[in-house]
Coordinates of all heavy atoms in Angstrom, one line a residue:
M5 N 0.9 -1.2 0.0 CA 0.0 0.0 0.0 C 0.9 1.3 0.0 O 1.9 1.3 0.7 CB -0.9 0.0 1.2 CG -1.7 1.2 1.4 SD -3.2 1.2 2.4 CE -4.2 0.2 1.4
S6 N 0.5 2.2 -0.7 CA 1.2 3.5 -0.8 C 0.9 4.3 0.4 O -0.1 4.2 1.1 CB 0.9 4.2 -2.1 OG -0.5 4.6 -2.2
A7 N 1.7 5.4 0.6 CA 1.6 6.3 1.7 C 0.2 7.1 1.6 O -0.1 7.4 0.5 CB 2.7 7.3 1.7
Q8 N -0.4 7.3 2.7 CA -1.5 8.2 2.8 C -1.2 9.3 3.7 O -0.4 9.1 4.7 CB -2.7 7.4 3.3 CG -3.3 6.4 2.3 CD -4.4 5.6 2.9 OE1 -4.2 4.7 3.6 NE2 -5.6 6.0 2.6
Y9 N -1.8 10.5 3.5 CA -1.5 11.7 4.2 C -2.9 12.1 4.9 O -3.8 12.2 4.2 CB -1.0 12.8 3.3 CG 0.3 12.3 2.6 CD1 0.1 11.7 1.3 CD2 1.5 12.6 3.1 CE1 1.3 11.4 0.6 CE2 2.7 12.2 2.4 CZ 2.5 11.6 1.2 OH 3.6 11.2 0.5
F10 N -2.8 12.4 6.2 CA -3.9 12.9 6.9 C -3.6 14.1 7.8 O -2.5 14.3 8.3 CB -4.4 11.8 7.9 CG -5.0 10.6 7.2 CD1 -4.2 9.5 6.7 CD2 -6.4 10.6 6.9 CE1 -4.8 8.5 6.0 CE2 -6.9 9.5 6.2 CZ -6.2 8.5 5.8
A11 N -4.6 15.0 7.8 CA -4.5 16.2 8.6 C -5.4 16.2 9.8 O -6.6 15.8 9.7 CB -4.8 17.4 7.7
Q12 N -4.9 16.5 11.0 CA -5.7 16.6 12.2 C -6.3 17.9 12.2 O -5.6 19.0 12.1 CB -4.9 16.3 13.4 CG -5.7 16.3 14.7 CD -4.9 16.1 15.9 OE1 -3.9 16.7 16.0 NE2 -5.3 15.2 16.8
L13 N -7.6 18.0 12.5 CA -8.3 19.3 12.5 C -8.8 19.6 13.9 O -9.2 18.7 14.7 CB -9.6 19.3 11.6 CG -9.4 18.8 10.2 CD1 -10.7 18.8 9.5 CD2 -8.4 19.7 9.5
D14 N -8.8 20.9 14.3 CA -9.3 21.3 15.6 C -10.8 21.6 15.4 O -11.4 21.4 14.3 CB -8.6 22.5 16.2 CG -8.7 23.8 15.4 OD1 -9.6 23.9 14.5 OD2 -8.1 24.8 15.8
E15 N -11.5 22.2 16.4 CA -12.9 22.4 16.3 C -13.3 23.5 15.3 O -14.5 23.6 14.9 CB -13.4 22.8 17.7 CG -12.8 24.0 18.3 CD -11.5 23.9 19.0 OE1 -11.0 22.8 19.1 OE2 -10.9 24.9 19.3
N16 N -12.3 24.2 14.8 CA -12.6 25.2 13.8 C -12.1 24.8 12.4 O -12.0 25.7 11.5 CB -11.9 26.6 14.2 CG -12.5 27.1 15.4 OD1 -13.7 27.2 15.6 ND2 -11.6 27.5 16.4
N17 N -11.9 23.5 12.2 CA -11.4 22.9 10.9 C -10.0 23.5 10.6 O -9.6 23.5 9.4 CB -12.3 23.2 9.8 CG -13.5 22.2 9.9 OD1 -13.6 21.3 10.7 ND2 -14.5 22.4 9.1
I18 N -9.2 23.8 11.5 CA -7.8 24.3 11.3 C -6.9 23.1 11.5 O -7.0 22.4 12.5 CB -7.5 25.5 12.2 CG1 -8.4 26.7 11.8 CG2 -6.0 25.9 12.0 CD1 -8.2 27.9 12.7
V19 N -6.0 23.0 10.6 CA -5.0 21.8 10.7 C -4.0 22.1 11.8 O -3.4 23.1 11.9 CB -4.2 21.7 9.3 CG1 -3.2 20.6 9.4 CG2 -5.2 21.4 8.2
T20 N -3.9 21.1 12.7 CA -3.0 21.1 13.8 C -1.8 20.2 13.7 O -0.7 20.4 14.3 CB -3.7 20.9 15.1 OG1 -4.3 19.6 15.1 CG2 -4.7 21.9 15.4
K21 N -2.0 19.1 12.9 CA -0.9 18.1 12.6 C -1.1 17.5 11.2 O -2.3 17.5 10.8 CB -1.0 17.0 13.6 CG -0.6 17.3 15.0 CD -0.6 16.1 15.9 CE -0.3 16.5 17.3 NZ -0.4 15.3 18.2
V22 N -0.1 17.1 10.6 CA -0.2 16.3 9.4 C 0.7 15.0 9.6 O 1.8 15.1 10.2 CB 0.4 17.1 8.2 CG1 0.3 16.3 6.9 CG2 -0.4 18.4 8.0
A23 N 0.1 13.9 9.2 CA 0.8 12.6 9.4 C 0.7 11.7 8.2 O -0.2 11.8 7.4 CB 0.2 11.9 10.6
V24 N 1.8 10.9 8.0 CA 1.8 10.0 6.9 C 1.6 8.6 7.6 O 2.3 8.2 8.4 CB 3.2 9.9 6.2 CG1 3.2 8.9 5.1 CG2 3.6 11.3 5.6
V25 N 0.4 8.1 7.3 CA 0.0 6.9 8.0 C -1.2 6.2 7.1 O -1.9 6.8 6.5 CB -0.6 7.2 9.4 CG1 -1.8 8.1 9.3 CG2 -0.9 6.0 10.2
E26 N -1.1 4.9 7.2 CA -2.2 4.2 6.5 C -3.5 4.4 7.3 O -3.6 4.4 8.5 CB -1.9 2.7 6.4 CG -0.7 2.4 5.5 CD -0.4 0.9 5.4 OE1 -1.1 0.1 6.0 OE2 0.6 0.6 4.7
Q27 N -4.6 4.5 6.5 CA -5.9 4.7 7.1 C -6.3 3.7 8.2 O -6.8 4.0 9.2 CB -7.0 4.9 6.1 CG -8.3 5.2 6.7 CD -9.4 5.6 5.6 OE1 -9.1 5.6 4.5 NE2 -10.6 6.0 6.1
E28 N -6.0 2.4 7.8 CA -6.3 1.3 8.8 C -5.6 1.4 10.0 O -6.2 1.2 11.1 CB -6.0 -0.1 8.0 CG -6.9 -0.4 6.9 CD -6.4 0.3 5.6 OE1 -5.2 0.9 5.5 OE2 -7.2 0.3 4.6
Y29 N -4.3 1.8 10.0 CA -3.6 2.1 11.3 C -4.1 3.2 12.0 O -4.3 3.2 13.3 CB -2.1 2.3 10.9 CG -1.2 2.3 12.2 CD1 -0.8 1.2 12.7 CD2 -0.8 3.6 12.7 CE1 0.0 1.2 13.9 CE2 0.0 3.6 13.8 CZ 0.4 2.4 14.4 OH 1.2 2.4 15.5
L30 N -4.4 4.3 11.4 CA -5.0 5.5 12.0 C -6.3 5.1 12.8 O -6.5 5.5 14.0 CB -5.3 6.6 11.0 CG -5.8 7.9 11.5 CD1 -5.1 9.0 10.7 CD2 -7.3 8.0 11.3
E31 N -7.2 4.4 12.1 CA -8.5 4.0 12.7 C -8.3 3.0 13.8 O -9.1 3.0 14.8 CB -9.4 3.4 11.7 CG -9.9 4.5 10.6 CD -10.6 4.0 9.5 OE1 -10.7 2.8 9.3 OE2 -11.1 4.8 8.6
A32 N -7.2 2.2 13.7 CA -7.0 1.1 14.7 C -6.3 1.7 16.0 O -6.2 1.0 17.0 CB -6.2 0.0 14.1
N33 N -5.9 2.9 16.0 CA -5.1 3.5 17.0 C -5.7 4.8 17.5 O -5.0 5.9 17.4 CB -3.6 3.7 16.7 CG -3.0 2.3 16.5 OD1 -2.6 1.7 17.5 ND2 -2.9 1.8 15.2
P34 N -6.9 4.9 17.9 CA -7.6 6.2 18.3 C -6.9 6.9 19.4 O -7.0 8.1 19.5 CB -9.0 5.8 18.7 CG -8.9 4.3 19.0 CD -7.8 3.8 18.2
N35 N -6.2 6.2 20.3 CA -5.4 6.9 21.4 C -4.2 7.6 20.9 O -3.8 8.6 21.5 CB -5.0 5.8 22.5 CG -6.2 5.3 23.2 OD1 -7.3 5.9 23.3 ND2 -6.1 4.1 23.7
R36 N -3.7 7.1 19.8 CA -2.5 7.8 19.2 C -2.9 8.9 18.2 O -2.2 9.9 18.1 CB -1.6 6.8 18.5 CG -0.4 7.4 17.9 CD 0.5 6.3 17.4 NE 1.8 7.0 16.9 CZ 2.8 6.3 16.6 NH1 2.9 5.0 16.7 NH2 3.9 6.9 16.2
Y37 N -4.1 8.7 17.6 CA -4.6 9.6 16.6 C -5.9 10.2 17.1 O -7.0 9.8 16.5 CB -4.7 9.0 15.2 CG -3.3 8.6 14.6 CD1 -2.8 7.3 14.8 CD2 -2.4 9.5 14.1 CE1 -1.6 6.9 14.4 CE2 -1.2 9.2 13.6 CZ -0.8 7.8 13.7 OH 0.5 7.5 13.3
E38 N -5.9 11.0 18.1 CA -7.1 11.5 18.7 C -7.7 12.6 17.8 O -7.0 13.3 17.0 CB -6.9 12.0 20.0 CG -6.4 11.0 21.0 CD -6.1 11.6 22.4 OE1 -6.0 12.8 22.5 OE2 -6.0 10.8 23.3
G39 N -9.0 12.8 17.9 CA -9.7 13.9 17.3 C -10.1 13.5 15.8 O -10.2 12.4 15.4
R40 N -10.3 14.5 15.0 CA -10.8 14.4 13.6 C -9.6 14.4 12.7 O -8.8 15.4 12.7 CB -11.8 15.5 13.3 CG -12.3 15.3 11.9 CD -13.5 16.3 11.7 NE -13.9 16.1 10.4 CZ -14.5 17.1 9.6 NH1 -14.5 18.3 10.1 NH2 -14.8 16.9 8.4
W41 N -9.5 13.4 11.9 CA -8.4 13.4 10.8 C -9.1 13.3 9.4 O -10.1 12.6 9.2 CB -7.6 12.1 11.1 CG -6.7 12.3 12.3 CD1 -7.1 12.0 13.6 CD2 -5.4 12.7 12.3 NE1 -6.0 12.2 14.4 CE2 -5.0 12.6 13.7 CE3 -4.4 13.0 11.3 CZ2 -3.7 13.0 14.1 CZ3 -3.2 13.4 11.7 CH2 -2.8 13.4 13.1
V42 N -8.6 14.1 8.5 CA -9.1 14.1 7.1 C -7.9 13.8 6.2 O -6.8 14.4 6.4 CB -9.7 15.5 6.8 CG1 -10.2 15.6 5.4 CG2 -10.9 15.8 7.8
E43 N -8.2 13.0 5.1 CA -7.2 12.7 4.2 C -6.8 14.0 3.4 O -7.7 14.7 3.0 CB -7.5 11.6 3.3 CG -6.4 11.1 2.5 CD -6.7 9.8 1.7 OE1 -7.9 9.4 1.7 OE2 -5.8 9.2 1.1
T44 N -5.5 14.2 3.2 CA -5.0 15.2 2.3 C -4.2 14.6 1.2 O -3.7 13.5 1.4 CB -4.3 16.3 3.1 OG1 -3.9 17.4 2.2 CG2 -3.0 15.7 3.8
F45 N -4.0 15.2 0.1 CA -3.4 14.6 -1.0 C -2.2 15.4 -1.5 O -2.2 16.6 -1.7 CB -4.5 14.4 -2.2 CG -5.7 13.6 -1.8 CD1 -6.8 14.2 -1.3 CD2 -5.7 12.2 -1.9 CE1 -7.9 13.4 -0.9 CE2 -6.7 11.5 -1.5 CZ -7.8 12.1 -1.0
F46 N -1.1 14.6 -1.7 CA 0.1 15.1 -2.1 C 0.3 14.9 -3.6 O 0.1 13.7 -4.1 CB 1.3 14.4 -1.3 CG 2.6 15.1 -1.4 CD1 2.8 16.4 -0.8 CD2 3.6 14.5 -2.1 CE1 4.0 17.0 -0.8 CE2 4.9 15.1 -2.1 CZ 5.1 16.3 -1.5
H47 N 0.6 15.9 -4.4 CA 0.8 15.8 -5.8 C -0.5 15.3 -6.5 O -0.4 14.4 -7.3 CB 2.0 14.8 -6.2 CG 3.3 15.4 -5.8 ND1 3.7 16.7 -6.2 CD2 4.3 14.9 -5.1 CE1 4.9 16.8 -5.7 NE2 5.3 15.8 -5.0
T48 N -1.6 15.8 -6.2 CA -2.9 15.4 -6.8 C -3.5 16.7 -7.3 O -3.8 17.6 -6.6 CB -3.8 14.8 -5.8 OG1 -3.2 13.6 -5.3 CG2 -5.2 14.4 -6.4
E49 N -3.7 16.7 -8.7 CA -4.3 17.8 -9.3 C -5.7 18.2 -8.8 O -6.5 17.3 -8.6 CB -4.4 17.6 -10.8 CG -4.8 18.8 -11.6 CD -4.7 18.6 -13.1 OE1 -4.0 17.7 -13.6 OE2 -5.5 19.3 -13.8
G50 N -5.9 19.5 -8.5 CA -7.2 19.9 -8.0 C -7.3 19.8 -6.5 O -8.3 20.2 -5.9
K51 N -6.3 19.4 -5.8 CA -6.3 19.2 -4.3 C -5.1 20.0 -3.7 O -4.0 20.0 -4.4 CB -6.3 17.8 -3.9 CG -7.5 17.0 -4.2 CD -8.7 17.5 -3.4 CE -10.0 16.7 -3.6 NZ -11.1 17.2 -2.9
T52 N -5.3 20.6 -2.6 CA -4.3 21.3 -1.9 C -3.8 20.4 -0.7 O -4.6 20.0 0.1 CB -4.8 22.6 -1.3 OG1 -5.4 23.4 -2.4 CG2 -3.7 23.4 -0.6
Y53 N -2.5 20.2 -0.7 CA -1.9 19.4 0.4 C -1.9 20.3 1.7 O -1.6 21.4 1.7 CB -0.4 19.1 0.1 CG 0.2 18.3 1.2 CD1 -0.1 17.0 1.3 CD2 1.2 18.8 2.0 CE1 0.5 16.2 2.3 CE2 1.8 18.1 3.0 CZ 1.4 16.7 3.2 OH 2.1 16.0 4.1
A54 N -2.5 19.7 2.8 CA -2.7 20.5 4.0 C -1.3 20.8 4.7 O -0.4 20.0 4.7 CB -3.5 19.6 5.0
G55 N -1.3 21.9 5.3 CA -0.2 22.3 6.1 C -0.6 22.9 7.4 O -1.9 23.2 7.6
L56 N 0.2 23.0 8.4 CA -0.2 23.6 9.7 C -0.9 24.9 9.5 O -0.3 25.8 8.8 CB 0.9 23.7 10.6 CG 1.6 22.4 11.1 CD1 2.8 22.7 12.0 CD2 0.6 21.5 11.7
G57 N -2.0 25.1 10.1 CA -2.7 26.4 10.0 C -3.7 26.5 8.8 O -4.5 27.4 8.8
Y58 N -3.6 25.5 7.9 CA -4.6 25.5 6.8 C -5.9 25.3 7.3 O -6.1 24.7 8.4 CB -4.2 24.5 5.8 CG -3.1 24.9 4.8 CD1 -1.9 25.4 5.3 CD2 -3.3 24.7 3.4 CE1 -0.9 25.7 4.4 CE2 -2.3 25.1 2.6 CZ -1.1 25.6 3.0 OH -0.1 26.0 2.1
I59 N -6.9 25.7 6.5 CA -8.3 25.5 6.9 C -9.0 24.5 6.0 O -8.9 24.7 4.8 CB -9.1 26.9 6.9 CG1 -8.4 27.9 7.9 CG2 -10.6 26.7 7.3 CD1 -8.8 29.3 7.7
Y60 N -9.7 23.6 6.6 CA -10.4 22.5 5.8 C -11.8 23.1 5.4 O -12.6 23.5 6.3 CB -10.6 21.2 6.6 CG -11.3 20.2 5.8 CD1 -10.7 19.6 4.7 CD2 -12.5 19.7 6.2 CE1 -11.4 18.6 4.0 CE2 -13.2 18.7 5.5 CZ -12.6 18.2 4.4 OH -13.2 17.2 3.7
D61 N -12.1 23.1 4.2 CA -13.4 23.6 3.7 C -14.3 22.3 3.4 O -14.0 21.5 2.6 CB -13.2 24.4 2.3 CG -14.5 24.9 1.8 OD1 -15.6 24.3 1.9 OD2 -14.5 26.0 1.3
E62 N -15.3 22.2 4.2 CA -16.3 21.0 4.1 C -16.9 21.0 2.8 O -17.2 19.9 2.2 CB -17.4 21.2 5.2 CG -16.9 21.2 6.6 CD -16.6 19.8 7.2 OE1 -16.9 18.8 6.5 OE2 -16.0 19.7 8.2
T63 N -17.3 22.1 2.1 CA -18.0 22.1 0.9 C -17.1 21.6 -0.2 O -17.6 20.7 -1.0 CB -18.4 23.6 0.5 OG1 -19.2 24.1 1.6 CG2 -19.2 23.6 -0.8
T64 N -15.9 22.1 -0.4 CA -15.0 21.6 -1.5 C -14.2 20.4 -1.1 O -13.5 19.8 -1.9 CB -14.0 22.7 -1.8 OG1 -13.2 23.1 -0.7 CG2 -14.8 23.9 -2.3
Q65 N -14.2 20.0 0.2 CA -13.4 18.9 0.7 C -11.9 19.2 0.3 O -11.2 18.2 -0.1 CB -13.9 17.6 0.3 CG -15.3 17.3 0.8 CD -15.8 15.9 0.4 OE1 -15.3 15.3 -0.5 NE2 -16.8 15.5 1.0
D66 N -11.4 20.4 0.6 CA -10.1 20.7 0.3 C -9.6 21.7 1.3 O -10.4 22.2 2.1 CB -10.0 21.4 -1.1 CG -8.6 21.4 -1.8 OD1 -7.7 20.7 -1.2 OD2 -8.4 22.1 -2.8
F67 N -8.3 22.0 1.3 CA -7.7 22.8 2.2 C -7.4 24.1 1.7 O -7.0 24.3 0.5 CB -6.4 22.2 2.8 CG -6.7 20.9 3.5 CD1 -6.7 19.7 2.9 CD2 -6.9 20.9 4.9 CE1 -7.0 18.5 3.6 CE2 -7.2 19.8 5.6 CZ -7.3 18.5 5.0
V68 N -7.5 25.2 2.5 CA -7.3 26.6 2.0 C -6.1 27.1 2.9 O -6.1 27.0 4.1 CB -8.5 27.5 2.2 CG1 -8.2 28.9 1.8 CG2 -9.6 26.9 1.4
A69 N -5.1 27.7 2.2 CA -4.0 28.3 3.0 C -4.4 29.5 3.8 O -5.4 30.2 3.4 CB -2.9 28.7 2.0
P70 N -3.9 29.6 5.0 CA -4.2 30.8 5.8 C -3.8 32.1 5.2 O -2.8 32.1 4.5 CB -3.5 30.6 7.1 CG -2.4 29.7 6.8 CD -2.8 28.8 5.6
V71 N -4.5 33.1 5.4 CA -4.2 34.5 4.9 C -3.2 35.1 5.8 O -3.5 35.2 7.1 CB -5.5 35.3 4.8 CG1 -5.1 36.7 4.3 CG2 -6.5 34.7 3.8
V72 N -2.1 35.5 5.3 CA -1.0 36.1 6.1 C -1.0 37.6 5.7 O -0.8 37.9 4.5 CB 0.3 35.5 5.9 CG1 1.4 36.2 6.6 CG2 0.3 34.0 6.1
E73 N -1.4 38.5 6.7 CA -1.4 39.9 6.4 C 0.0 40.5 6.5 O 0.8 40.1 7.4 CB -2.3 40.6 7.4 CG -3.8 40.2 7.2 CD -4.7 40.9 8.1 OE1 -4.4 42.1 8.5 OE2 -5.8 40.4 8.4
E74 N 0.3 41.3 5.5 CA 1.6 42.0 5.5 C 1.6 43.0 6.6 O 0.6 43.7 6.8 CB 1.8 42.6 4.1 CG 2.0 41.6 3.0 CD 3.3 40.8 3.2 OE1 4.3 41.4 3.6 OE2 3.2 39.6 2.8
P75 N 2.7 43.3 7.3 CA 2.7 44.3 8.3 C 2.6 45.7 7.6 O 3.1 45.9 6.5 CB 4.1 44.1 9.0 CG 4.9 43.3 8.1 CD 3.9 42.6 7.2
A76 N 1.9 46.6 8.3 CA 1.7 47.9 7.7 C 3.0 48.7 7.8 O 3.8 48.5 8.8 CB 0.6 48.7 8.5
E77 N 3.2 49.5 6.7 CA 4.4 50.3 6.8 C 4.3 51.5 7.7 O 3.2 52.0 7.8 CB 4.8 50.8 5.4 CG 5.2 49.7 4.5 CD 5.6 50.2 3.1 OE1 6.1 51.4 3.0 OE2 5.4 49.5 2.2
S78 N 5.3 51.9 8.4 CA 5.2 53.0 9.4 C 5.7 54.2 8.8 O 6.4 54.3 7.9 CB 5.8 52.7 10.7 OG 7.0 51.9 10.6

């Protein structure tokens, strides 16, 4: 089986961890992989690979990068 990638989400659908793990192992070890985990895809057209701080969009079932505001010039 090939590698699978999963993102752990907090209560606001923000990614807190990313792990490379087979889905069967993830599901068989709920004490090690607590909370909600959603599969993310690496090198898959039309999908965004999750990173820390990314937001999971339930509608598109994809991840959105966080908006980083530039500091205001003084």
Side-chain angles (χ1 to χ4, degrees):
M5 173 160 293
S6 63
Q8 289 176 279
Y9 304 88
F10 288 88
Q12 183 183 46
L13 306 178
D14 70 8
E15 62 279 352
N16 297 310
N17 284 350
I18 297 173
V19 176
T20 57
K21 290 182 185 175
V22 178
V24 181
V25 61
E26 291 180 6
Q27 185 169 1
E28 294 81 11
Y29 186 81
L30 184 139
E31 291 172 354
N33 293 281
N35 292 333
R36 184 173 183 165
Y37 297 98
E38 295 177 344
R40 182 172 178 213
W41 290 82
V42 175
E43 190 169 10
T44 185
F45 300 92
F46 194 69
H47 294 307
T48 300
E49 189 173 333
K51 291 292 183 180
T52 304
Y53 182 73
L56 294 180
Y58 278 52
I59 301 165
Y60 181 68
D61 183 321
E62 298 278 350
T63 305
T64 62
Q65 296 183 345
D66 201 11
F67 295 88
V68 179
V71 176
V72 178
E73 295 184 25
E74 295 293 323
E77 291 186 32
S78 39

